[in-house]
Amino acid sequence: MSEIPYKIYLEEQEMPTAWYNVRADMKNKPAPLINPGTLQPMGFEELRGVFCDELVKQELDDTTPYFEIPQEIRNFYKMYRPSPLVRAYCLEQALGTPAKIYYKFEGNNTSGSHKLNSAIAQAYYAKAQGLKGVTTETGAGQWGTALSMACAYLGLDCKVYMVKVSYEQKPFRREVMRTYGASVTPSPSDTTNIGRKILEDFPGTTGSLGCAISEAVEAATSTEGYRYVLGSVLSQVLLHQSVIGLESKIAMDKYGIKPDMIIGCAGGGSNLGGLISPFMGEKLRGEADYQIIAVEPASCPSLTRGVFAYDFCDTGNVCPMAKMYTLGSRFIPSPNHAGGLRYHGMSGVVSQLYHDGYLEARAVEQTAVFEAATQFARIEGILPAPESSHAIRVAIDEALKCKETGEEKTILFGLTGTGYFDMVAYEKYNNGTMSDYIPTDEDLQKSFAQIPKTE
Ligand SMILES: *Cc1c(COP(=O)(O)O)cnc(C)c1O
């Protein structure tokens, strides 16, 4: 067999033309979204007040395996995709491992992460429906940036509610969004009822994703011609992100490579869900087996320590409720947590697959994550996002295990983005002032107590 190149690219004509919907192959489907008031499953008519029509259809569809990618989205993808699949020869050598390590690098676009894959799809369907604009929240800022880029390209208005602590810590992220024409409001803000209520109840709060979501939904549903879009968690987002896994699979198949292990970081579950989708499909259909590992921060451990229950997706309880692994919608990671992946819940698809034993989860501490990030940057050259570095940590750990056992495992991990805007976090690590805060069982019990009883 020919030598595997450092980077495996695809020709334009080899790129995927349809997204893959892993739900079609799941025996146990993710539970439906329910209305927080009536606790009844939400159908098309109810959801279309919040989300764009085509996206609601995708959200509700548990059976169609493939959705054709509209030509205009494929054209946009061609500007920054295919993303490279890199054989980490240098890292393998530095670790002295017999393992073969590959990573799929999604940071090769201005927004710096995989989020653009879904942003362009969501903006496209909003535009196709004749809407004026979209609202959203952003935490660290990657999603807001990606959506601003997509909206600028299609000529849509974009209103972003940005978690206040990030708004203050990441002024450059904010300016990138504004450069692409988005308006950016720190959340909680006094521009919505929910924001005002949260400011009253928790004066001085630095905000949370759950709270920013509530504000963005309120802004969308109270403004004519607007809908709300979300960068993770929802099944439609996993569907769009399947492009990551599909490209990886096509590239690996070209060289006859079969991964033994697939590793992804998990915040809301979209990059992980997208990366694993086609491989998981094979696993669900009994055609192949893979070890799949979701990696989350020890300070926000929704899979490893959360409960599987219907919960609110947002702090203000205005969104549909989802059945997922959750820490409780009022859970806010400790302020010294700088590593991203701060969301309290997890995609319903990833949650159900985890619940059914198709993937495992690990929680890692942020100092260990930044240690891996730094090692990776110095060896492979790319400055990784803190989120992505969770996957790097476990990939390195697994490669080192192979060194002990002599196993030549093939490891694929998702390198979701770059960390240029995360230098405050890197600064803490470099100064030795980064600490790990792992919530106690008591902290979590308090937060679980807020989860509503629905069953
Ligand atoms: C948003 C983000 C994540 C986490 O989100 P998921 O929905 O879990 O994929 C991971 N890495 C980067 C770089 C991100 O921007």
Side-chain angles (χ1 to χ4, degrees), residues 151-172:
C151 286
Y153 179 74
L154 294 167
L156 269 180
D157 185 38
C158 179
K159 296 187 199 301
V160 180
Y161 287 84
M162 184 170 189
V163 178
K164 193 179 275 167
V165 58
S166 305
Y167 184 89
E168 285 160 4
Q169 273 193 3
K170 301 190 173 183
F172 295 149

Side-chain angles (χ1 to χ4, degrees), residues 13 36 44 48 50 64 90 113 145 157-158 208 217 222 266 285 347 366 409:
Q13 68 274 12
F44 180 75
R48 66 184 300 218
V50 181
T64 305
C90 299
S113 82
T145 310
D157 185 38
C158 179
S208 70
V217 172
S222 60
R285 295 190 301 269
S347 135
Q366 66 174 351
K409 284 189 182 167

Side-chain angles (χ1 to χ4, degrees), residues 113-115 142 231-232 265-272 341 385 387-388 416-417:
S113 82
H114 66 283
K115 293 206 172 64
Q142 290 98 325
S232 183
C265 64
S270 74
N271 87 81
L272 173 80
L341 309 174
E387 292 89 344
S388 323
T416 50

Side-chain angles (χ1 to χ4, degrees), residues 2-21:
S2 59
E3 176 85 1
I4 311 278
Y6 273 71
K7 287 204 183 96
I8 307 178
Y9 281 108
L10 302 179
E11 302 293 332
E12 265 180 28
Q13 68 274 12
E14 294 174 305
M15 284 170 64
T17 56
W19 293 300
Y20 167 64
N21 180 13

Side-chain angles (χ1 to χ4, degrees), residues 214-416:
S214 302
E215 288 204 87
V217 172
E218 184 182 321
T221 50
S222 60
T223 317
E224 177 71 28
Y226 280 74
R227 290 293 186 283
Y228 167 69
V229 294
L230 180 59
S232 183
V233 185
L234 296 173
S235 302
Q236 58 186 269
V237 183
L238 264 72
L239 174 71
H240 308 145
Q241 295 298 356
S242 70
V243 70
I244 305 172
L246 291 163
E247 281 183 9
S248 304
K249 184 126 194 349
I250 295 168
M252 291 188 126
D253 285 349
K254 237 166 106 161
Y255 286 89
I257 306 158
K258 182 181 173 293
D260 297 298
M261 190 181 281
I262 306 168
I263 301 167
C265 64
S270 74
N271 87 81
L272 173 80
L275 173 68
I276 66 176
S277 273
F279 301 98
M280 184 58 85
E282 289 187 331
K283 187 163 166 154
L284 289 164
R285 295 190 301 269
E287 296 164 8
D289 198 16
Y290 304 97
Q291 184 184 5
I292 296 174
I293 308 174
V295 191
E296 61 184 12
S299 52
C300 192
S302 47
L303 285 172
T304 51
R305 294 176 69 198
V307 293
F308 190 40
Y310 267 108
D311 194 12
F312 300 110
C313 293
D314 60 323
T315 317
N317 311 350
V318 297
C319 283
M321 291 170 73
K323 186 169 181 189
M324 57 187 175
Y325 277 85
T326 176
L327 297 168
S329 62
R330 298 272 162 154
F331 180 84
I332 296 181
S334 131
N336 64 4
H337 173 65
L341 309 174
R342 307 172 62 89
Y343 189 61
H344 68 273
M346 182 58 60
S347 135
V349 174
V350 170
S351 292
Q352 187 65 51
L353 289 168
Y354 176 63
H355 198 68
D356 292 341
Y358 288 103
L359 58 97
E360 53 195 274
R362 287 195 204 159
V364 289
E365 295 180 25
Q366 66 174 351
T367 44
V369 166
F370 278 83
E371 186 196 347
T374 304
Q375 190 179 7
F376 185 83
R378 291 178 187 179
I379 297 166
E380 287 283 321
I382 295 169
L383 180 78
E387 292 89 344
S388 323
S389 306
H390 288 70
I392 299 176
R393 174 73 273 161
V394 170
I396 290 178
D397 290 346
E398 289 297 327
L400 290 174
K401 273 188 213 160
C402 289
K403 185 177 177 176
E404 276 171 30
T405 61
E407 284 173 289
E408 293 183 25
K409 284 189 182 167
T410 297
I411 300 171
L412 166 64
F413 74 89
L415 187 68
T416 50

